Amino acid sequence: MTGTMNLRSRAQLLGCVLGLRSLALVLWGIPGARALDNGLAMTPTMGWLHWERFMCNTDCEEDPDSCVSEKLFMQMADLMDSEGWRDVGYEYLCIDDCWMAPQRDSKGRLQADPKRFPGGIRRLADYVHGKGLKLGIYADVGKLTCAGFPGSYGYYDIDAKTFADWGVDLLKFDGCHFDTLVDLADGYKYMSLALNRTGRSIVYSCEWPLYMMPFRKHMPNYTEVREYCNHWRNFADIYDAWQSVKSVLDWTSSNQEKIVDAAGPGGWNDPDMLVIGNFGLSWDQQITQMALWAIMAAPLFMSNDLRQISPQAKALLQDKDVIAINQDPLGKQGYRLRKEDNIEVWERPLSDFAWAVAMVNLQEIGGPRFHTISLASLGGGLACLPACLITELLPVKGKLGFYEWTSSLKLRINPTGTVLLRLDRTN
Ligand code: GLA
């Protein structure tokens, strides 16, 4: 098409683009780079991952209900099936670090700790598949995992084959204990190819950019990362506190010009797990995490205890309208549009010319604050042109009504809370 486009139409196009400066904002974010060609993660992966909540708890004698064991994963699988989690999209049940026995077997293969996983991973995978779910596992590009279990360095082919033989559907590949940046990059690439060679569909979840962080003068080449990984961590591990969620959002908005373009069907920036349903976030902060993870087109891996979760947190995590924003098929990541007076406005283009808009109140003193937003400022001027239907999704669901392009909207936002809106254009 481009090749045959004549000069006049090119000039017209350029004129339009220059004339509508706002269009630049709309175009910004179109993924230019090829994604890992495994047909997976066309929308951000959704599931459950044990790390933030259960960490490296291997003491099944002292703490049988919360140690990293097949029992824990089977219980979570049962609940993902019976409590509606799978039905709203949480499909991948993922094991993190500390599942392994301290040694490889006589053939050099990784093996699960025999006491904590007496049936082995293949039987667990069968169980998980029987519930209509998929199983994720964890390994490390270096000589040891972060918690000190055997690393995959020197064993990439064997490990990829072992995971495929077991019926694993996702690999989280950590980046502790590597020697050089070249080893790190080669290892991540090699494992991607090794997984593809197994012929099994395995989502490849990387932490490659994160481990380049101490060497920031070598910025990650996101075009390359995207060619090898289905998602990639950029920033420090999340923990169950507002400070942590806030630091993820800060890092993301400060670096959005480098990372937003890299996201798209098949490859996503991964701001780490959802900690909703745990101990550390207030209700408003949980809303902020859910809303902003939707705006950021983030993989949604919950790390919580599905056996003990409040009905409120469950409803938030299972909110179909918010999930629909996260999973929007256009696959463009949102970004922070502006910050003024401690209120941040984020927006994300959606399919059918719709937009998601989040307003976060970052002021931690005082009560709820009013914020007025001019609709012409959203979506590069196009979100509400000539008019739109605005629906509030969070914190309270409801249609706010039809608005014209020239109008503005006044909203009340709780401290550390977020109002999430959906704007659907009308003619
Ligand atoms: C690193 C990762 C975490 C988790 C731990 C496990 O810190 O970033 O997500 O996997 O290792 O040891």
Side-chain angles (χ1 to χ4, degrees), residues 239-260:
Y239 55 94
D240 188 15
W242 174 235
Q243 175 61 36
S244 170
V245 171
K246 214 168 37 166
S247 67
V248 172
L249 295 176
D250 269 356
W251 187 90
T252 305
S253 53
S254 314
N255 291 277
Q256 60 188 11
E257 271 159 48
K258 288 172 222 134
I259 66 170
V260 165

Side-chain angles (χ1 to χ4, degrees), residues 51 96-97 138 146-147 172 174 207 210-211 233 237 273:
W51 186 254
D96 207 287
D97 205 348
Y138 166 102
C146 296
K172 171 173 173 176
D174 210 341
E207 299 202 34
L210 168 61
Y211 284 91
R233 289 268 311 280
D237 293 1
M273 295 158 268

